[in-house]
């Protein structure tokens, strides 16, 4: 028996209260630079020191592309949990939590607005909503957006940011790949341009369908783009994967993408592509131009 007893106090958890207000400063995960939140917002969430691209929400994405306000399409579509799916927790609970945290009803916003004056239908995915996964609602909203573009003779831009198909909706989520692809084929037959923008991350069934079907496929720098994860591939082919595998630059080098562009230059690039892809008469329908006279000069809409 000990003569003296040392009273051990439990180690106190570190003082969590920071003197800096929450969310005022952000640390760049790539270079460690501390960035003032407002500066980051001004540079479209790109680190001004190293060019690291922070992930954008769907709303931030639309704000970065459109000139002004936009019209949302089908904002109230929600999943009905058709399989009554339960994994570690019920799918219904996951949906409720995501709706509460993001303010969205599902992982995509479809909207019509103007990109440097060109009326365009844009669908932007939100990673914050169950990993930006594509379920029935995402499939339906994207398909309707494309159909709306065909009806109004407008170009389509889809910004992907997704972990792939939503497994909680089983095969119903996989069917969206075919559904969206078929709608894009109709858009193609209507001779309207579709630009796909792949952001970090774009994987699984989204890569395997509409993200790679653009007339032009654009990616943001260092974005993870792939179908299966690198570990699964390594185990299957029993080989070590090369450096930078499944990143935008690697895919560009191997012919899977057309352009890798800094987010701050994305809107201007998109404008040039849309102008190029749309017949001039459609970029700016002119009453002075008779329908049977070929239009030769590009009429800017700005
Ligand atoms: Zn940085």
């Amino acid at each position: 028996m000990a003569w003296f007893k040392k009273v051990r106090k439990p180690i106190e958890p570190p003082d969590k209260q920071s003197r800096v207000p929450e969310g005022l400063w952000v640390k760049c995960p790539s270079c460690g630079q501390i960035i003032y939140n407002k500066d980051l917002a001004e540079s479209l969430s790109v680190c001004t020191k190293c060019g690291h691209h922070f992930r954008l929400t769907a709303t931030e994405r639309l704000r970065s592309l459109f000139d002004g306000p936009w019209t949302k399409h089908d904002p109230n579509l929600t999943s009905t949990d058709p399989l009554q799916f339960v994994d570690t927790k019920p799918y219904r609970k996951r949906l409720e939590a995501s709706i509460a945290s993001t303010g969205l009803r599902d992982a995509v916003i479809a909207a019509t607005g103007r990109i440097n004056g060109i009326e365009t239908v844009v669908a932007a995915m939100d990673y914050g909503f169950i990993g930006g996964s594509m379920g029935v609602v995402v499939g339906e909203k994207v398909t309707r957006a494309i159909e709306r573009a065909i009806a109004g003779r407008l170009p389509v831009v889809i910004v992907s940011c997704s972990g792939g198909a939503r497994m909680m909706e089983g095969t119903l989520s996989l069917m969206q790949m075919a559904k969206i692809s078929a709608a894009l084929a109709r858009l193609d037959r209507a001779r309207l341009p579709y630009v796909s923008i792949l952001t970090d991350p774009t994987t699984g069934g989204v890569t395997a369908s509409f993200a790679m079907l653009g007339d032009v496929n654009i990616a943001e720098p260092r974005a993870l783009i792939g179908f299966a994860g690198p570990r699964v591939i390594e185990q299957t082919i029993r080989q070590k994967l090369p450096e930078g595998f499944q990143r935008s630059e690697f895919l560009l080098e191997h012919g899977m993408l057309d352009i890798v562009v800094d987010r701050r230059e994305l809107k201007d690039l998109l404008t040039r592509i849309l102008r190029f892809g749309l017949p001039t008469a459609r970029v700016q329908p002119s009453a002075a131009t008779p329908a049977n006279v070929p239009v030769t000069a590009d009429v800017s809409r700005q």
Side-chain angles (χ1 to χ4, degrees), residues 279-282 288-299:
T280 314
R282 264 177 225 149
T289 315
N292 55 350
V293 175
V295 183
T296 47
D298 181 83
V299 186

Side-chain angles (χ1 to χ4, degrees), residues 148-221:
R148 219 170 246 120
I150 297 171
R153 301 216 54 81
L154 302 174
V156 174
V157 172
I158 302 178
V159 188
S160 303
C161 183
S162 171
R166 191 173 293 170
M167 287 299 113
M168 298 81 141
E169 292 183 10
T171 192
L172 294 168
S173 70
L174 298 178
M175 284 160 64
Q176 307 311 312
M177 295 165 66
K179 187 164 90 180
I180 297 171
S181 302
L184 285 173
R186 291 198 293 279
L187 184 82
D188 187 55
R189 281 201 288 276
R191 295 176 162 264
L192 291 164
Y194 161 45
V195 180
S196 172
I197 299 169
L198 298 91
T199 71
D200 183 66
T202 298
T203 57
V206 170
T207 312
S209 61
F210 61 88
M212 285 291 180
L213 290 176
D215 295 313
V216 182
N217 296 326
I218 306 173
E220 289 191 337

